[in-house]
Amino acid sequence: MDDIVALCRRRGFIFQSSEIYGGINGFWDYGPLGADLKRNLKNAWWTDIVQEELIGPDGKPIDMVGLDTTIIMHPKVWEASGHLAGFADPMRKCPKCGHFVRADQLWDLLATSSAWFDSLLQAFTPVTGQIDTPHLMAWAKGKGKKLAPNLALVRNPEVTLAWLATRINGQPDAPPDMKELTRYIATEQLHATGLQEPCPRCGGPLTDPAPFKLMFESHAGIEQNEDSKVYLRPETAQGIFVNFWNVVDTSRVKVPFGIAQQGKAFRNEVTPRNFTFRSREFEQMEIEFFIHPSTANEWYTFWRDSRYAWWQSIGLAGANLQLREHEKDELAHYAKTGAGTSDIEYRFPFTAPGFGELEGVAHRADFDLKAHATACGKGDKLKYFDQDLQVRLQNEGKSKDEINERSRYFPHVIEPSAGADRGTLALLCEAYTPDPSRASGVYMKFHPRMAPIKAAVFPLVNKDGMPEVAEKLYRELRKKWNVQFDEKQSIGKRYARMDEAGTPYCFTIDGDTLAGGTVTVRHRDTQQQERIALDSVSQFLRDRVQ
Ligand code: ATP
């Protein structure tokens, strides 16, 4: 991964945000090559989802429309969606070293990644119900001082061990278990504080858990108070849900249909890490596909499989991509009884041999539409009226009441929700191909449709009319594609630069071009060269990069 990050920095794919000030954790900028790569990914998604004809499981072309909603929305949106109440991790802080710990991970962290806890475990045997005072004292005054300077046992071993001895002697039949022992050695003033729990890093007493809100807050307007508080959206989906009724009223869509949106989302992630994988500002590409509840299984399967196939089609075709169906106990509350949830996952170098989520596909039932209908006070009035279903029920001779009842409902939703930054990162990781036989030592094997630069045009030498012909070709090609012109340095160095940028084709103008009207094409992956007619270059590219 370090090599990929270094190449991204060196060649201008991705930079740290505000790098000249030392960077800001969890924020990334896309350089010239990265911006084009990410745009190609987003454009392919938009073209394939919204513009191209996609045939659904019912054999009919899918109805899909686009939307572009605001980042800041009415705060009630986040109340209704459950984000205000639930979109938080319970966090504990160590006032001594400033370390934050997710409350539900404390015991795991102590067991697996706390140097002092590990060392302490070797100094005494907790199961006997006896405390090995001399060993603990020795540890507290020796290794403990270095590893856990803020642990009560280290700061004040006599008092701490006295509390522990009182506990053990007071209930000889019920010796403390490992967790209780740990709490005792983390406690200096039992009566004042009660039993405390230690920081995995320095042993200091952790604060009580408090929700760490993942939504960024701001204020709209001049006054800054509770009433003016607004949030940066943590997902683009809610912009789609609250516009569902506007879209139905103003376009000719009928259930089943989808709304697609791309846009920024913000999450104040506790520990942003793994390059752009977990950022605090990122971009999503989301579809909410609205269906009749009885068709959830077929539409869920359709979207799951077609989204998986889509990622394969843009170059993630190998064993690094997998589709993983969620186990029942992993499912979000709204998806428990639904058709299913699955993740499309990529094996990133930092997750290997495991995988990390690129896109989630979930049957969200009618949770969101119902929540917004209820929260805005309109309730059942916002049920969708299914005219086709009404006609069908009439033809089946159903009673008026039954027809009224059944033809109004809250549609269910299948949500394929993908990350543009994680997608771009997966494309970069998949493309990165070390090759010691090349001058660059590495090349980026992007799918031609994703490659930021589609082709380069070189004059072999800077004389004999070659630059003029090359420039003319370059000008013609760049009307349609991102193409580069390079006349500097040796041809080998120029190929090397293009290999690192992942440019699939290089056209060289040489003596034969002037004499015979042909150019050489050099293929990035095989390094093979062939000659084609100068006037067929445009067609050559059109056949390969779109
Ligand atoms: P994770 O479990 O990895 O935090 P999530 O399940 O919370 O992800 P969703 O809420 O389903 O993610 O968001 C949909 C998509 O948005 C994800 O599949 C991912 O591609 C992207 N995404 C979510 N959080 C981040 C982030 N912090 N940085 C970059 N992309 C993200």
Side-chain angles (χ1 to χ4, degrees), residues 26 83 87 214 234-235 265-269 271-273 275-286 311 326 334 343-344 356-362 364 415-423:
H83 283 85
F87 200 56
L214 292 175
E235 60 176 34
F266 301 81
R267 295 182 191 176
N268 199 4
E269 296 279 0
T271 34
R273 68 201 131 111
F275 206 18
T276 59
F277 182 84
R278 190 167 299 287
S279 310
R280 289 180 166 145
E281 174 174 341
F282 55 97
E283 227 167 323
Q284 291 186 312
M285 311 187 288
E286 295 198 294
W311 286 105
H326 280 209
Y334 50 74
D343 286 344
I344 298 163
E357 176 183 331
L358 270 189
E359 171 160 359
V361 182
R364 291 174 70 110
E415 177 192 74
S417 166
D421 304 272
R422 284 193 193 171

Side-chain angles (χ1 to χ4, degrees), residues 215-268:
M215 275 200 292
F216 281 98
E217 295 178 3
S218 187
H219 290 271
I222 299 168
E223 301 255 15
Q224 302 221 339
N225 52 35
E226 270 306 298
D227 292 340
S228 67
K229 203 189 257 182
V230 290
Y231 303 91
L232 305 195
R233 65 181 176 200
E235 60 176 34
T236 58
Q238 298 305 323
I240 300 182
F241 291 126
V242 300
N243 275 292
F244 169 80
W245 296 277
N246 289 342
V247 172
V248 168
D249 288 348
T250 56
S251 31
R252 300 174 55 193
V253 288
K254 285 197 240 168
V255 167
F257 75 95
I259 304 180
Q261 167 159 248
Q262 299 182 335
K264 291 269 190 181
F266 301 81
R267 295 182 191 176
N268 199 4

Side-chain angles (χ1 to χ4, degrees), residues 316-330:
L316 305 182
N320 288 333
L321 192 76
Q322 76 168 14
L323 182 63
R324 186 179 67 84
E325 198 74 43
H326 280 209
E327 304 291 332
K328 273 274 180 258
D329 60 358
E330 266 185 278

Side-chain angles (χ1 to χ4, degrees), residues 54 57 287 289 296-312 321-326 339-345 359-363 414-417:
L54 203 62
I287 304 166
F289 199 76
N297 280 324
E298 67 204 68
W299 280 109
Y300 167 70
T301 311
F302 167 80
W303 279 113
R304 184 196 60 193
D305 296 346
S306 62
R307 294 303 305 141
Y308 181 52
W310 185 81
W311 286 105
Q312 292 176 315
L321 192 76
Q322 76 168 14
L323 182 63
R324 186 179 67 84
E325 198 74 43
H326 280 209
T341 297
S342 44
D343 286 344
I344 298 163
E345 301 179 325
E359 171 160 359
V361 182
H363 172 209
I414 308 292
E415 177 192 74
S417 166

